[in-house]
Amino acid sequence: MNERGIPERRIAFLETCFDVFCENGLENTSLKMLADACGVTNGNLLYYFGSKDGIIIEATAHCMAKVEDDFMARAPKDFADIERFLREMPHLTAKLHGSKYRFMYQVYASPKYREHGKEFFRGVNVRYLRYAQLLSGKLGLPVELIQGMTYLFVRACVHFALFEDEDYLELELNAIRVSLRAIAAGIGHEREETR
């Protein structure tokens, strides 16, 4: 990817364009709408990104990685804090990021951008592993378990952000709660046996 222009301005353009896309959708957003929102000409925006497709690809990857970082910044501080995280994050995700997830799925579900979606989610795998490694010591749980539970929980949050289906959310959250209680009981039992 050829990154032209001033880096700070480029990031500001990506974030502004992403907001415009989220508000209007993939099909209803014109290059002129994007340029107007950024306060530049179409040509100036194309100088930075090469094409509207370039803007779509870069803005989606950049802004959704920021959404992930925001999500994980609110991660539980210890095992006892997990319940707060489970209660708080689905509703906060829907409120703050629902339109972003709807747009992301518009982009990555399109055959035109599918390969870029695969690349983005390979990056998600790396970031979730890093998050799990950071949380493992705090939560007293294995990295692989935290990484898998993160996927399940994020999926529950995203589904809720897209559809605001409380019943579906509660089923998923209760499955996570039951699993965590069983795992915690098993870990406690293992610790007692090793004494």
Side-chain angles (χ1 to χ4, degrees), residues 150-163:
T150 300
Y151 279 105
L152 294 174
F153 184 54
V154 169
R155 183 170 186 263
C157 290
V158 170
H159 183 87
F160 184 73
L162 294 173
F163 304 110

Side-chain angles (χ1 to χ4, degrees), residues 30-48:
S30 68
L31 184 59
K32 180 168 177 17
M33 290 167 69
L34 298 172
D36 288 349
C38 292
V40 297
T41 64
N42 290 5
N44 193 256
L45 209 50
L46 292 176
Y47 168 78
Y48 274 81

Side-chain angles (χ1 to χ4, degrees), residues 66-83:
K66 283 185 65 176
V67 167
E68 282 178 20
D69 290 343
D70 178 58
F71 190 94
M72 293 315 296
R74 301 167 196 271
K77 308 293 183 249
D78 53 39
F79 194 86
D81 192 35
I82 291 174
E83 183 56 34

Side-chain angles (χ1 to χ4, degrees), residues 43-194:
N44 193 256
L45 209 50
L46 292 176
Y47 168 78
Y48 274 81
F49 302 105
S51 66
K52 183 179 170 189
D53 285 337
I55 298 168
I56 292 166
I57 292 161
E58 287 189 54
T60 303
H62 170 79
C63 292
M64 290 311 295
K66 283 185 65 176
V67 167
E68 282 178 20
D69 290 343
D70 178 58
F71 190 94
M72 293 315 296
R74 301 167 196 271
K77 308 293 183 249
D78 53 39
F79 194 86
D81 192 35
I82 291 174
E83 183 56 34
R84 183 244 351 134
F85 191 59
L86 293 178
R87 271 192 332 271
E88 177 182 285
M89 287 312 295
H91 294 90
L92 195 58
T93 298
K95 179 181 174 185
L96 298 178
H97 306 303
S99 65
K100 296 171 187 173
Y101 280 110
R102 282 188 287 281
F103 178 70
M104 179 191 79
Y105 281 107
Q106 268 190 310
V107 172
Y108 292 150
S110 166
K112 185 175 187 178
Y113 305 110
R114 186 159 190 246
E115 291 305 312
H116 298 284
K118 286 181 181 180
E119 182 180 329
F120 174 78
F121 284 105
R122 280 191 290 274
V124 168
N125 294 340
V126 170
R127 289 187 293 275
Y128 282 14
L129 175 59
R130 194 173 341 123
Y131 298 143
Q133 290 165 336
L134 291 171
L135 288 172
S136 181
K138 293 179 184 180
L139 304 181
L141 297 170
V143 169
E144 299 80 16
L145 174 69
I146 294 171
Q147 187 177 10
M149 285 291 187
T150 300
Y151 279 105
L152 294 174
F153 184 54
V154 169
R155 183 170 186 263
C157 290
V158 170
H159 183 87
F160 184 73
L162 294 173
F163 304 110
E164 297 185 17
D165 183 342
E166 290 280 352
D167 294 333
Y168 188 86
L169 175 65
E170 278 310 306
L171 286 170
E172 288 184 311
L173 292 182
N174 286 335
I176 291 170
R177 286 180 180 113
V178 168
S179 299
L180 287 173
R181 281 195 294 269
I183 290 162
I187 289 172
H189 181 71
E190 284 177 15
R191 286 184 184 147
E192 283 189 21
E193 286 182 353
T194 59

